[in-house]
Amino acid sequence: MDSEALKKYSALHPKPAGLSLQYGTAGFRTKAEQLDHVMFRMGLLAVLRSKAVVSTIGVMVTASHNPEEDNGVKLVDPLGEMLHPSWEEYATQLANAEEQELQKIITEICQKAAVNQHKDASVFIGRDTRPSSEKLSQSVIDGISVLGGQYHDYGLVTTPQLHYMVCCQNTQGQYGKATLEGYYEKLSKAFTELIKQSPSSGESQRHLKIDCANGIGALKLSEMEPYFPKEVLVHLYNDGTKEKLNHLCGADFVKVHQKPPRGLDMKPNERCCSFDGDADRIVYYYKDTAGHFHLIDGDKIATLISIFLKELLAKVGQTLKMAVVQTAYANGSSTRYLEETLKVPVHCVKTGVKHLHHKAREFDVGVYFEANGHGTVLFSKAAETQIRQLAKEENDDEKREAAKVLENMIDLINQTVGDAISDMLVIEAILALKGLTVQQWDALYTDLPNRLLKVQVADRRVIETRDAERRAVTPPGLQEKIDALVKKYKLSRAFVRPSGTEDVVRIYAEADTQENADALAHEVSLAVYHLAGGRGAPPQP
């Protein structure tokens, strides 16, 4: 390692005094002007990680659904998964190191993680459409270059596209070609094959309105449009030409505010969906003839996909184990429907994509979605091999055809991470194949009314949870209080958890009516305020 070069370059990317950041589920995220040194150092870390695992590592510059003035960065591990938890710690140390300690900390990481300095390093870089992203990705490149790493800059890509490229590269092309064309071709080929099987194939065009959050999704969808079969017509809104990223639009806005995004005119019963800023989340929605807004969130997306896959798995007659993984935020009605009506096992894990992804890998077919619309399906190697073999060799026509549909589903799904483009095509294919309207999909079950609130606290660490965040262990007395409040309402539950990013406690409540869900959420927020060191004025109903 050339310590003179490191000193020289590090001085060009100085750390603001007193700034301390934490690498979390979303990587680092804060105001863009505070991130230059972090980007440089994540370039350094990507090289170390690449040498440690002797594989290509990804660096994505994005702050997803955050406001346009923010930015962020996350690292992508060899198979397109999120950075290994042990390295999150190294990322935090490196980002917060004072200039004169950088060399020492790099050496320490190399010792702790058994990094062979003589190995080659290779890094893939991608970025979203924020005004700050280009300059910040240049800082990442500086970091990679100082430690002598090789890099390929993909420029503007969705977050899931970068995850996909990294996986393709490290599987020597088994997962696909590590180019945008490769991504478009693989997905559109699988989608076209699926659509061909649909009952109304060829007659009617399928229209879909997409709110692209004024982000990268719009650019990539318009690049992909020529690859779509002619039956599918997508209409893009909030394409970034006029308005600000994520401002009053995007999946997060629609989910939180339960209303349509700005800039999209909805006619009754039209299918619409929203991507988030970096296109790794998707939610669907429509307005009924009475003008009421209906949101179809990640829980209902997981349910639709599960119904479809379960039918196919039954047809191919293999003993493959399927399960759905949710978090405590999943609506109680969805859990009940999956377990009782569909008879599919449901597992609850802590909030955060890495926990869902990890659990989903335990099954032959693992479906996971967060209520916010981030999710995907994982197929075990054994399941995939079995399905592909049946699609080729099975003599029974019905079994073989079902296996072929499953094979196309495997190719259409981005198994590395939640991917709005891929998930949208999966949903569109299932709706077409099952001949379902958006209203029929919505009517599978009725969501229990719910409310999300947050309470400012002096220190979020006073709240500790267990049982996949469904029970509070500390402060003393809080869980007992919540239990007593929950008993007052029908079909109700509530839980509290500390935010991963700020000093707030998040509260979720559901009950038989919206009025009761609101009342329960408010009462729980007061309990948190009084027992967990609330700041400012007490919560108002």
Side-chain angles (χ1 to χ4, degrees), residues 257-273:
H257 296 279
Q258 308 263 332
K259 64 180 187 187
R262 190 159 100 180
L264 187 149
D265 55 317
M266 292 167 71
K267 298 191 177 60
N269 296 333
E270 274 185 336
R271 254 192 349 280
C272 306
C273 67

Side-chain angles (χ1 to χ4, degrees), residues 123-432:
V123 183
F124 283 0
I125 308 159
R127 65 173 193 269
D128 71 11
T129 54
R130 292 163 195 273
S132 58
S133 291
E134 190 169 3
K135 186 173 171 296
L136 289 173
S137 72
Q138 194 49 58
S139 305
V140 174
I141 291 171
D142 282 355
I144 297 166
S145 307
V146 167
L147 292 186
Q150 299 293 308
Y151 66 88
H152 180 85
D153 183 5
Y154 281 92
L156 293 163
V157 286
T158 69
T159 296
Q161 284 175 334
L162 186 75
H163 283 255
Y164 176 92
M165 306 296 175
V166 171
C167 183
C168 291
Q169 182 69 14
N170 290 315
T171 55
Q172 284 69 53
Q174 260 181 298
Y175 193 65
K177 284 212 290 281
T179 61
L180 277 171
E181 292 67 47
Y183 172 94
Y184 298 142
E185 276 163 11
K186 180 180 171 182
L187 269 64
S188 59
K189 181 172 171 278
F191 180 67
T192 305
E193 287 298 314
L194 286 165
I195 286 279
K196 271 186 201 157
Q197 312 288 319
S198 83
S200 61
S201 170
E203 328 157 7
S204 62
Q205 288 193 312
R206 300 184 60 80
H207 289 268
L208 175 67
K209 290 184 169 177
I210 307 172
D211 153 35
C212 300
N214 289 311
I216 185 72
L219 280 178
K220 299 297 137 181
L221 274 174
S222 41
E223 282 177 10
M224 192 173 182
E225 243 175 292
Y227 294 85
F228 288 155
K230 60 181 187 311
E231 291 96 315
V232 176
L233 273 185
V234 296
H235 308 275
L236 308 185
Y237 296 82
N238 296 323
D239 63 0
T241 51
K242 297 193 260 310
E243 293 282 342
K244 271 173 76 162
L245 176 72
N246 295 327
H247 182 58
L248 302 177
C249 62
D252 203 57
F253 172 85
V254 173
K255 167 77 180 152
V256 172
H257 296 279
Q258 308 263 332
K259 64 180 187 187
R262 190 159 100 180
L264 187 149
D265 55 317
M266 292 167 71
K267 298 191 177 60
N269 296 333
E270 274 185 336
R271 254 192 349 280
C272 306
C273 67
S274 284
F275 289 11
D276 72 336
D278 64 340
D280 64 358
R281 294 183 183 185
I282 184 170
V283 295
Y284 270 69
Y285 44 92
Y286 68 97
K287 258 187 186 154
D288 61 26
T289 40
H292 294 302
F293 176 79
H294 295 252
L295 175 72
I296 299 177
D297 64 5
D299 300 335
K300 233 167 218 173
I301 293 172
T303 305
L304 178 73
I305 294 172
S306 302
I307 290 171
F308 187 70
L309 293 178
K310 189 171 185 218
E311 286 171 4
L312 288 169
L313 290 170
K315 277 186 189 154
V316 296
Q318 297 298 308
T319 52
L320 295 172
K321 273 182 64 179
M322 174 171 138
V324 176
V325 186
Q326 297 183 326
T327 70
Y329 285 112
N331 195 280
S333 293
S334 72
T335 314
R336 215 163 286 144
Y337 180 87
L338 287 163
E339 289 181 329
E340 293 168 19
T341 308
L342 258 196
K343 305 271 187 280
V344 170
V346 177
H347 298 267
C348 185
V349 298
K350 278 165 64 171
T351 306
V353 180
K354 58 184 175 189
H355 303 298
L356 290 139
H357 194 89
H358 186 72
K359 186 72 184 172
R361 284 168 76 165
E362 293 176 17
F363 310 99
D364 293 314
V365 182
V367 180
Y368 76 81
F369 270 84
E370 291 190 292
N372 65 26
H374 186 287
T376 187
V377 185
L378 305 184
F379 294 86
S380 69
K381 268 282 156 268
E384 188 173 327
T385 308
Q386 218 174 350
I387 288 162
R388 291 197 193 275
Q389 204 169 348
L390 287 167
K392 254 215 289 292
E393 297 163 8
E394 175 58 56
N395 294 324
D396 178 323
D397 287 352
E398 195 191 12
K399 276 188 182 176
R400 190 179 61 252
E401 285 313 309
K404 275 187 186 162
V405 174
L406 275 170
E407 182 173 41
N408 283 313
M409 282 309 258
I410 291 172
D411 288 334
L412 183 53
I413 289 163
N414 185 345
Q415 293 186 58
T416 65
V417 71
D419 180 339
I421 294 178
S422 156
D423 290 338
M424 172 191 91
L425 295 172
V426 167
I427 292 162
E428 290 302 306
I430 295 174
L431 292 176

Side-chain angles (χ1 to χ4, degrees), residues 453-455 507 520-530 539-540:
L453 294 176
K454 53 187 186 184
V455 176
I507 287 146
L520 177 58
H522 176 63
E523 289 170 347
V524 172
S525 71
L526 281 174
V528 168
Y529 179 84
H530 291 300
Q540 295 304 307

